[in-house]
């Protein structure tokens, strides 16, 4: 069976509308994006704002939808857009928006799906990667009777069970076992609200962009004439009444008998994209909500990142003879003790190198970092990785003794755990692009055992000695 390829939009999509709570006009442009980009948002109304990646750690609020934020830039109610992109077979997209809220449209994802279908998608030149979940992962909130789990599956499946303990909205079930049915079976399903919630939103001057045409309103109690009069004025709907047999206001007709459960399914699919990858698994959620969905996405994402890190750990025999010992390393790079931070090179090709550093209590830096609590400085871990990378880079020229390597830039540096005396550091350096005009762009990762201690992207320049 041929490997699936990543996909993006054939051309940009533009959608305009109003934000649900602000009532302000919003223009959203969904643009094609390069491979391995995933979904990112850009606030075009904020000068210099950073891209906001659709991953669980960027969620800052789930009270009225899912909100993502990086720095001062935030985007809210992103779940419908994300669900649409994912289910419509798009792996990479940049969503530019000129306000904080996504447009509410009709309360569903139907208009977004139609717009995507109209422009179509295009195959990209990189394989699609799935995270295949283990046998069982779960999130439970006993206080709210919420339980979400994912079990292993050959495909991507979702099941939602909602149960509000109310006569007006009895237990409902909704499932999606093939994303091809999303556009017709899930995307048209609108958000729903209980009348008492709507009353509170109106009192707090929210839902300024709300309209009774974009939400199903359930009436779970007797409603006074005064409340109805207020709603009629607020929404400019003089003929509001209750459809008794359904327990909903007469603002709209249900598109499906279980439309509320299907809408929760829509929200779940959108929130699960925050794992940051496509999954092969069956997600089953009882009484889901945005907060629980996001917390569960964090659980899955953490497990996925741990498995990726373990999978990428260099498989080397530390007892095997090295490719270069210390004396061999000294013929490749100019560093000398106490600033030579690599003991052995175990493996090297045209695009990668693996080195080793045995950390002992005799290191000079432990005298001051820190007395009584020795910890290897993170910057020295980066320097050690750079020295390994320098050996790889200098091996690309015929006369390495006549060259030096100089840092130009370091990006995406992360320190994940302490390095202490007795640890054996293993460095893995990989070229991110071929060496051209003396520019060396590398991704470095440092490990102790199966755990990542440090990672960074580094750009260096090969230069002849003066």
């Amino acid at each position: 069976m041929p490997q699936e390829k990543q996909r993006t939009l054939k051309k940009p999509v533009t959608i305009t509308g109003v934000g649900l709570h602000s009532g302000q006009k919003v223009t959203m442009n969904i643009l094609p994006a390069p491979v391995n980009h995933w979904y990112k948002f850009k606030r075009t109304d904020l000068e210099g704002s950073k891209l906001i990646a659709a991953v669980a750690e960027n969620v800052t609020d789930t009270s009225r939808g899912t909100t993502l934020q990086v720095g001062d830039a935030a985007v809210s109610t992103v779940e419908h857009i994300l669900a649409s992109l994912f289910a419509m077979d798009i792996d990479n997209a940049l969503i530019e928006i000129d306000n904080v809220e996504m447009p509410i449209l009709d309360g569903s994802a139907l208009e977004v799906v139609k717009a995507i279908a109209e422009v179509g998608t295009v195959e990209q030149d990189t394989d699609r990667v799935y995270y295949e979940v283990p046998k069982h992962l779960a999130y439970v909130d006993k206080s709210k009777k919420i339980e979400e789990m994912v079990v292993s599956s050959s495909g991507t499946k979702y099941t939602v069970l909602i149960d509000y303990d109310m006569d007006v909205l009895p237990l409902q079930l909704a499932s999606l076992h093939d994303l091809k049915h999303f556009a017709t079976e899930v995307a048209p399903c609108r958000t729903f609200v209980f009348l008492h919630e709507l009353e509170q939103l109106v009192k707090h001057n929210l839902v300024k962009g709300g309209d009774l045409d974009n939400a199903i309103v359930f009436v779970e109690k007797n409603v006074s004439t005064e409340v109805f009069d207020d709603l009629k004025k607020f929404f400019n709907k003089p003929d509001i009444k209750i459809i008794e047999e359904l327990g909903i206001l007469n603002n709209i007709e249900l598109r499906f008998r279980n439309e509320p459960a299907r809408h929760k399914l829509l929200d779940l699919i959108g929130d699960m994209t925050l794992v940051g990858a496509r999954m092969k698994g069956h997600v089953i959620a009882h009484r889901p909500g945005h907060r629980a969905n996001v917390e569960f996405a964090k659980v899955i994402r953490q497990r996925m990142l741990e498995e990726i890190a373990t999978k990428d750990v260099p498989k080397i025999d530390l007892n095997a003879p090295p490719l270069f010992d210390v004396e061999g390393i000294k013929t490749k790079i100019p560093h000398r003790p106490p600033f030579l931070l690599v003991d052995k090179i175990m493996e090297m090709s045209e695009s990668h190198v693996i080195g080793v550093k045995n950390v002992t209590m005799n290191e000079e830096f432990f005298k001051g970092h820190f007395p009584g609590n020795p910890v290897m400085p993170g910057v020295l871990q980066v320097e050690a990785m750079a020295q390994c990378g320098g050996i790889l880079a200098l091996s690309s020229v015929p006369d390495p003794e006549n060259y030096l390597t100089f840092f130009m830039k370091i990006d995406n540096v992360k320190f994940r755990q302490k390095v202490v005396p007795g640890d054996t550091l293993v460095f893995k350096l990989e070229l991110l692009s071929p060496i051209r005009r003396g520019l060396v762009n590398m991704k470095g990762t440092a490990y102790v055992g199966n755990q990542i201690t440090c990672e960074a992207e580094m750009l260096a320049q090969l230069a002849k000695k003066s």
Side-chain angles (χ1 to χ4, degrees):
M1 184 175 179
Q3 177 69 42
E4 292 180 40
K5 297 292 185 180
Q6 294 182 25
R7 304 187 73 86
T8 190
L9 290 158
K10 279 187 179 178
K11 58 182 182 179
V13 166
T14 298
I15 296 173
T16 59
V18 296
L20 174 60
H21 294 292
S22 68
Q24 295 180 3
K25 184 178 178 181
V26 181
T27 297
M28 177 177 65
N29 295 307
I30 309 175
L31 310 175
V35 298
N36 300 323
H37 183 273
W38 197 235
Y39 312 129
K40 293 184 175 68
F41 294 84
K42 173 73 174 178
R43 286 285 298 276
T44 57
D45 58 318
L46 299 178
E47 186 176 349
S49 64
K50 296 180 179 179
L51 292 180
I52 307 168
V55 289
E57 57 264 35
N58 286 339
V59 175
T60 56
D61 187 32
T62 55
S63 56
R64 293 186 297 271
T66 300
T67 298
L68 299 166
Q69 184 167 350
V70 172
D72 295 330
V75 286
S76 64
T77 56
V78 298
E79 56 274 6
H80 296 179
I81 308 302
L82 292 174
S84 300
L85 291 169
F86 181 85
M88 294 299 286
D89 212 28
I90 295 169
D91 299 282
N92 306 298
L94 174 62
I95 305 101
E96 293 185 343
I97 187 166
D98 62 1
N99 211 315
V100 66
E101 283 188 286
M102 301 294 117
I104 185 60
L105 305 175
D106 73 341
S108 78
L110 187 58
E111 188 172 333
V112 179
V113 163
K114 286 181 176 178
I116 292 172
E118 186 174 338
V119 302
T121 65
V122 62
E123 188 177 273
Q124 298 176 286
D125 62 0
T126 300
D127 291 341
R128 177 178 283 173
V129 178
Y130 284 88
Y131 172 54
E132 298 189 22
V133 300
K135 292 182 178 180
H136 180 268
L137 287 174
Y139 170 82
V140 178
D141 184 340
K142 291 183 179 179
S143 65
K144 296 185 178 180
K145 301 178 182 178
I146 295 171
E147 183 174 2
E148 299 192 7
M149 68 180 73
V150 59
V151 295
S152 59
S153 170
S154 59
T156 304
K157 302 176 183 180
Y158 304 89
T159 297
V160 161
L161 182 68
I162 62 171
D163 180 9
Y164 289 91
D165 296 325
M166 294 180 181
D167 293 337
V168 70
L169 184 53
L171 184 146
Q172 288 189 357
L173 178 73
S175 295
L176 183 68
H177 288 182
D178 190 334
L179 291 174
K180 292 178 181 178
H181 301 308
F182 175 86
T184 55
E185 301 295 319
V186 178
C189 298
R190 296 153 297 187
T191 189
F192 64 94
V193 65
F194 294 102
L195 186 62
H196 76 274
E197 296 173 325
L198 186 59
E199 289 178 64
Q200 291 302 313
L201 291 171
V202 170
K203 285 180 182 179
H204 288 85
N205 203 28
L206 296 170
V207 295
K208 294 178 182 178
D211 188 301
L212 289 184
D213 293 333
N214 56 29
I216 304 164
V217 182
F218 284 92
V219 183
E220 76 282 18
K221 63 179 183 179
N222 293 327
V223 184
S224 68
T225 302
E226 181 183 0
V227 169
F228 262 119
D229 289 341
D230 289 342
L231 290 175
K232 289 175 182 178
K233 291 177 184 177
F234 186 85
F235 291 108
N236 193 26
K237 298 280 186 181
D239 57 346
I240 294 175
K241 63 180 181 180
I242 302 173
I243 302 176
E244 295 292 346
E245 63 269 23
L246 297 176
I248 63 175
L249 295 186
N250 66 332
N251 51 314
I252 53 179
E253 294 182 1
L254 292 178
R255 292 173 177 170
F256 300 92
R257 179 189 56 79
N258 63 340
E259 188 170 352
R262 293 185 188 220
H263 184 81
K264 284 292 187 180
L265 192 63
L266 168 62
D267 286 346
L268 177 68
I269 295 169
D271 287 337
M272 284 296 107
T273 67
L274 302 175
V275 170
R278 289 187 176 271
M279 289 193 300
K280 286 187 178 179
H282 187 171
V283 181
I284 304 167
H286 176 231
R287 297 172 63 98
H290 290 299
R291 188 187 69 82
N293 295 345
V294 170
E295 290 303 315
F296 188 36
K298 289 179 180 178
V299 170
I300 300 171
R301 180 167 170 79
Q302 180 63 30
R303 173 65 69 88
M304 178 184 72
L305 293 176
E306 288 174 356
E307 290 185 12
I308 290 172
T310 302
K311 182 179 178 181
D312 289 341
V313 174
K315 304 297 189 294
I316 59 171
D317 180 1
L318 293 175
N319 296 316
L323 188 62
F324 301 119
D325 60 13
V326 169
E327 295 305 315
I329 290 170
K330 287 161 68 175
T331 67
K332 300 292 183 181
I333 56 176
H335 304 76
R336 295 296 182 266
F339 212 70
L340 179 58
L341 299 175
V342 185
D343 296 329
K344 295 185 285 188
I345 296 296
M346 304 301 296
E347 185 176 302
M348 189 165 67
S349 70
E350 292 183 355
S351 61
H352 89 287
V353 61
I354 295 175
V356 174
K357 163 71 175 171
N358 294 307
V359 183
T360 75
M361 192 61 210
N362 297 320
E363 311 289 348
E364 283 291 316
F365 48 78
F366 283 141
K367 292 179 180 178
H369 199 276
F370 302 100
N373 188 22
V375 176
M376 183 176 182
V379 291
L380 293 185
Q381 294 181 52
V382 175
E383 171 62 27
M385 289 194 296
Q387 290 181 17
C388 286
I391 294 169
L392 173 62
L394 289 167
S395 297
S396 68
V397 297
D399 52 343
E401 68 278 2
N402 294 322
Y403 285 82
L404 295 172
T405 55
F406 297 99
F407 266 135
M408 295 182 68
K409 186 170 68 168
I410 308 175
D411 285 328
N412 299 321
V413 180
K414 296 177 183 176
F415 300 107
R416 299 193 178 276
Q417 70 173 37
K418 294 189 298 184
V419 176
V420 298
D423 285 341
T424 297
L425 273 167
V426 177
F427 307 111
K428 182 179 180 181
L429 281 293
E430 300 170 288
L431 288 179
L432 295 175
S433 58
I435 299 173
R436 291 193 180 95
R437 296 185 296 276
L439 292 177
V440 186
N441 195 13
M442 296 174 288
K443 166 69 183 294
T445 310
Y447 301 85
V448 171
N450 290 333
Q451 300 297 314
I452 293 177
T453 66
C454 172
E455 55 187 327
E457 294 175 10
M458 298 168 282
L459 181 65
Q461 172 76 62
L462 281 175
K464 272 200 168 185
K465 294 180 182 178
S466 58

